[in-house]
Amino acid sequence: MKNNQVLKIEANLASFLQNEQVHASLAGIRRGIERELIRTQATGGISDKTHPVELGSALTHPYITTDFAEAQLELVTPAMDDRTATFDSLASLHHFVATRLPEGETLWGASMPPQLPNDEAESEGAIRIASYGTSNAGLLKKRYREGLANRYGKRMQLISGIHYNFSLPEAFWIALYDHQKSIDSSVAQMPLEAFVSERYFHMIRNVLRHGWLVPYLFGASPAVDNSYLQGKAHALEVFDDETCYLPWATSLRLSNLGYSSDEQSSYPISFNNRQQYLSDLHNALTRPSERYLHLDIDQQMNGSVLQLENELYGSVRPKIVNDTLRPLYAMCHYGVQYVELRSMDNNPYLPLGIAQEQSHFLDLFLVYSALAPSPELTEEERAIVVQRQELVATQGRKPDLTLPTLEGEVSLETLGLDLLDAIQQIAALFDDAFSTDSYQTSIFSERMKLQNSDLTPSAKLLAQMKDQGLSHQGLMQRLSDEHLLVHLQHQVETEKMDNLTALVDESLSKQQQMERQPDISFDDFLKKQNQLQRDCKQQEMMV
């Protein structure tokens, strides 16, 4: 090992992975993919049309909804333990949407937005905040988004990406729990649910430490249309009349110019354990922010640092599925059920924005993060993590780039290759468990990118723009048009199409039922929601 910043999995855990029961449990890994993408007009600009009723209700449809804007789709697969089925589901959703788009529209395949109107304040019709109907639940979702617009501006909210939801099966956790109890007496005093939650936070800390590798390998937003930069101070270089860029950037989406918040950075959230995480999150949800107090109640949900849990930015989140409780309450009672990796750009070269080989690598990266040593993050290391991400996002392909570590500067290539060497241990075990070579193949592909940055998506995009004389808008539009044809031609089983069609009617009916139900006024409903947020402290202390 060339440096202590990359820790190999301890021998006892490496042997744990070779256990036959553990091998068998790996088949139960569940993955879900959420993809955000924008509907654009034939002219290339963002669509000014409402969410198509042919796609169902954005409020109640389980798989097809909207993110910030009315034209910003979010396609969500169910969590499944069959990777091929997950990608088939994502492809089916793309096909279904593509066949029901308004005439002349396409699906923008990039993370950074298409050409945007010149004056945001006068372009409400073009950048329309998503609407969810007249029920209190729908009005709450819109008010939250109005708060986002007033806090950060509409342009930033139009940045899109891919979220990779990942969970290890209960059988795996039980086996690891039993294994750890035999070597660590403190684990024996911990209920299984608490152990699983703390192990997910263990995973998250390592994802934060090593997560710079994801935008280096998969970042695909080194350039941006000039219209995105309206009113923003920046140090980007001019690529052409329509485009600005940074020559060594990997992911402007993940840079300070992208999806970020200075205010949130002032109140960092700890991931050292569930108790600290919930306490810090509660503080951000209830602490008045001087930056937002000037906004009226009809301009945001409340004046706290975070209006809702979902406003928390970051490359990874602990998550739980619960339809009846607020996320903070649910995690207090039931712990963490999965992690959401949020650092993937849409790859505009891929029709789905992500490929199965990338999914193989992400599985390895996340399992490595769950098993490799993961000490608590100090303030010093947390600052290094932030600095490292910004460097990779803006300069990641710069020759001989060094990254800060607790031990001093280390070259990006050395740090990355050491990390892949450590993950390689898991790749061999996974290939053995699944009788395949896909996992080690994914490591080989990513190793080549570290040795030659020209192979990264960000480098390929800039090279093609330069070679073909294309702006960011021009290349992204060309690729998006090509992918729309792929989506339209994709073959979907009749049963799946019938199910998606039925979900449209069911979701519309459910929204109508919600709007017909007697309800308190929205003002009273909002007050109740904000009061619940303030009252969470008592629940949080129950952990």
Side-chain angles (χ1 to χ4, degrees), residues 348-397:
Y349 286 120
L350 301 173
L352 303 181
I354 184 173
Q356 290 205 41
E357 184 176 276
Q358 182 177 345
S359 172
H360 281 97
F361 178 82
L362 294 175
D363 285 359
L364 295 174
F365 176 68
L366 292 167
V367 173
Y368 164 81
S369 295
L371 296 179
S374 183
E376 292 189 350
L377 286 165
T378 63
E379 288 189 18
E380 179 188 9
E381 188 174 12
R382 192 155 55 183
I384 286 173
V385 165
V386 172
Q387 184 182 359
R388 215 156 39 205
Q389 174 168 298
E390 182 68 11
L391 275 171
V392 173
T394 57
Q395 303 179 47
R397 292 179 290 101

Side-chain angles (χ1 to χ4, degrees), residues 25 28 30 167-177 192 196 200:
S25 76
R30 293 169 68 84
S167 66
L168 286 157
E170 184 178 16
F172 178 94
W173 290 125
I174 291 173
L176 183 60
Y177 179 57
L192 176 63
V196 172
Y200 272 122

Side-chain angles (χ1 to χ4, degrees), residues 393-404:
T394 57
Q395 303 179 47
R397 292 179 290 101
K398 186 176 182 180
D400 302 320
L401 178 68
T402 61
L403 300 179

Side-chain angles (χ1 to χ4, degrees), residues 319-335:
K319 299 283 282 189
I320 182 170
V321 178
N322 192 294
D323 293 332
T324 58
L325 295 176
R326 283 278 300 270
L328 186 63
Y329 275 98
M331 201 169 293
C332 289
H333 285 286
Y334 303 112

